[in-house]
Amino acid sequence: MIKKILSELESEDKNKRLHALDKLSEIVFDTDRILVIKALKPHILDWDEDVRAKVSSVLKLYTEQ
């Protein structure tokens, strides 16, 4: 499941990236935090403002654990 979510995160489609971020925020307690944080790092500077904001909020969830 996590591989599918992370592959959606790499999509060029903004909606797929946002969907993947929503899924990551739902499974915060059930997944490897370090893996997710490493996967999110390149998206901190995403070209889309909505995606950047969502990445920031998901990173906050994973770093507060």
Side-chain angles (χ1 to χ4, degrees):
M1 180 168 106
I2 190 73
K3 287 183 181 182
K4 182 178 186 241
I5 294 171
L6 294 179
S7 70
E8 280 189 2
L9 189 59
E10 298 301 322
S11 173
E12 290 187 19
D13 182 358
K14 169 190 166 183
N15 292 326
K16 284 186 179 181
R17 292 194 311 275
L18 288 171
H19 181 261
L21 291 164
D22 286 337
K23 289 291 185 186
L24 286 172
S25 65
E26 293 172 6
I27 62 169
V28 67
F29 299 108
D30 299 331
T31 192
D32 180 5
R33 293 181 349 204
I34 294 171
L35 175 74
V36 173
I37 292 168
K38 285 181 179 180
L40 290 175
K41 277 178 64 176
H43 300 282
I44 293 170
L45 300 175
D46 193 277
W47 61 269
D48 185 81
E49 185 176 326
D50 295 334
V51 174
R52 284 194 311 265
K54 182 68 91 171
V55 167
S56 176
S57 66
V58 173
L59 273 172
K60 185 175 179 183
L61 286 173
Y62 278 87
T63 57
E64 288 181 344
Q65 289 299 306

